[in-house]
Amino acid sequence: MSPMSSSVSTRSAAEVNAKIRDLWQRSAGSLTPQDEAEYQRLLVEWAAADGGSVRTAV
């Protein structure tokens, strides 16, 4: 089992989205390599929590 799988889908999509927004706000729009790794983990978690659905902007 991968280390990420334990944290995937433990929070709602809204909770993970809030974490993503907080990360971007803290970083002032410029992610460090560590922040980028966290962002990628959060995206995977968000996609799992959201059921993997893809939405397009209109």
Side-chain angles (χ1 to χ4, degrees), residues 8-55:
V8 174
S9 292
T10 59
R11 298 182 275 198
S12 72
E15 289 173 304
V16 179
N17 189 33
K19 293 289 185 185
I20 291 170
R21 289 175 183 269
D22 182 56
L23 175 63
W24 278 105
Q25 186 174 23
R26 284 192 329 256
S27 70
S30 181
L31 299 177
T32 66
Q34 183 177 353
D35 290 339
E36 178 67 27
E38 181 181 357
Y39 176 64
Q40 293 300 322
R41 284 189 301 272
L42 288 168
L43 285 179
V44 170
E45 185 178 352
W46 176 84
D50 195 45
S53 65
V54 176
R55 297 183 187 128

Side-chain angles (χ1 to χ4, degrees), residues 1-8:
M1 183 179 281
S2 73
M4 257 194 313
S5 63
S6 63
S7 66
V8 174

